[in-house]
Amino acid sequence: MIIDGRAVAAQIRAELLSRTARFFENTGRRPTLAVVLIGDDPASAIYVRNKFKACAEAGIDSFDVRLPATVSTEEAEEEVRRLADKGTVDGILVQLPLPKHLDAERILAAIPTEKDVDGFSAQNIGALALGKRGTVACTPLGVMELLKRYNIGTCGKYAVVVGRSNIVGKPMALLLLNADATVTVCHSRTQNLKEECLKADILVAAAGRAGLITADMVKEGATVIDVGMNRAEGKLCGDVDFENVAKKAAFITPVPGGVGPMTVAMLLVNVCNAAEMRLK
Ligand code: NDP
């Protein structure tokens, strides 16, 4: 079965409409996302536009603060602090990647935990590691939501995550662990990637390498989640050889139309959660 991330994301946006309407009734304003966009990376501009479109469809207000590529770390930090102080801003997101000369860690650290809707802060990652309530990074959260909505159980399952980045692989592994899966994390130094992947009931590919996961690496009846977003011959593709792996997998996400739309949908959920929490 092909997991339809676009359909689930649309459903989530529709579900959020009643929450954002209730928030409006209570406060006279809508949950609000502020995006800091630095420089003129065309891909970032497209991502931000997509996020704003999705926000509008869920009844969330959004605006961007554009800073020139020449801005200093201190100036960018100052801008984030200004947004942090605004009572009408519920969520702040700094669109990555940043121009090379900037200290991304410092700029991100200026976002207060309760407005960190990307879930990248040390406090939010710490909460996840401790199995406590916090905001979780949108992409791995989106993967868990897909598993839930397709009734794919994780308890006692063997899960393999390929990739160990702070924004995808690590939080993905922690979420699966918190959901009672037995988790193995693979990376570029892993010996015998094929043997590790073959054990997986749930295989999450988040390496950013087109064609890395081939059919001979996948167990019959496994669930295969492809987080990868790569450009090959001008076309967007994942890390999984979809055509051949689909013949063996019980469930599989396509690229595009799988995890990508869920990332944006979970951002909206995180903004709503942040807004409601601040109201409380
Ligand atoms: P990073 O480059 O930060 O991390 C990639 C990870 O994959 C690293 O841990 C790396 O290992 C590992 N890796 C690389 N090559 C191999 C290999 N040959 N075998 C095993 N492991 C390997 O990427 P991100 O985590 O930021 O993103 C991963 C992918 O997901 C990208 O394609 C990205 O575009 C996509 N993405 C998609 C999103 C979506 O919404 N669908 C959102 C975010 C990302 P090591 O640590 O040893 O270097």
Side-chain angles (χ1 to χ4, degrees), residues 78-231:
E78 193 45 48
E79 196 56 51
V80 171
R81 278 205 209 94
R82 203 178 56 77
L83 293 169
D85 288 342
K86 268 196 165 178
T88 50
V89 170
D90 300 295
I92 303 170
L93 179 160
V94 175
Q95 185 65 39
L96 301 175
L98 296 182
K100 290 274 177 289
H101 70 281
L102 292 175
D103 184 340
E105 217 169 288
R106 257 181 70 186
I107 296 168
L108 291 177
I111 304 174
T113 309
E114 68 276 13
K115 295 192 181 187
D116 169 34
V117 283
D118 257 341
F120 292 165
S121 72
Q123 287 91 337
N124 276 322
I125 293 171
L128 178 63
L130 295 170
K132 296 239 164 75
R133 200 191 159 96
T135 302
V136 178
C138 304
T139 301
L141 193 60
V143 172
M144 295 308 286
E145 193 65 27
L146 283 178
L147 296 177
K148 196 157 87 189
R149 295 202 183 215
Y150 276 82
N151 291 317
I152 300 165
T154 50
C155 180
K157 295 288 170 62
Y158 202 90
V160 174
V161 179
V162 184
R164 57 173 166 180
S165 72
N166 290 335
I167 62 171
V168 187
K170 275 184 206 160
M172 186 74 253
L174 287 167
L175 281 169
L176 287 163
L177 189 62
N178 291 348
D180 296 324
T182 301
V183 184
T184 296
V185 183
C186 299
H187 46 80
S188 68
R189 305 297 171 90
T190 297
Q191 311 268 325
N192 306 324
L193 181 66
K194 179 179 166 183
E195 279 87 293
E196 295 298 342
C197 291
L198 269 171
K199 294 182 208 156
D201 300 308
I202 299 170
L203 177 60
V204 181
R209 297 280 181 275
L212 178 67
I213 307 296
T214 47
D216 61 334
M217 299 166 80
V218 175
K219 185 163 83 174
E220 199 78 43
T223 293
V224 180
I225 306 288
D226 193 352
V227 179
M229 283 204 311
N230 313 296
R231 289 249 160 231

Side-chain angles (χ1 to χ4, degrees), residues 1 26 97 216:
M1 182 184 253
N26 290 334
D216 61 334

Side-chain angles (χ1 to χ4, degrees), residues 25-82:
E25 276 166 29
N26 290 334
T27 63
R29 67 175 187 88
R30 299 189 165 277
T32 302
L33 169 70
V35 175
V36 179
L37 183 55
I38 306 178
D40 37 33
D41 175 35
S44 291
I46 293 171
Y47 289 142
V48 171
R49 218 178 306 140
N50 287 343
K51 287 171 187 174
F52 286 178
K53 187 168 168 274
C55 279
E57 285 172 15
I60 293 171
D61 278 345
S62 57
F63 67 92
D64 60 9
V65 174
R66 287 173 183 250
L67 301 174
T70 51
V71 77
S72 69
T73 294
E74 291 71 24
E75 286 165 332
E77 262 185 299
E78 193 45 48
E79 196 56 51
V80 171
R81 278 205 209 94
R82 203 178 56 77

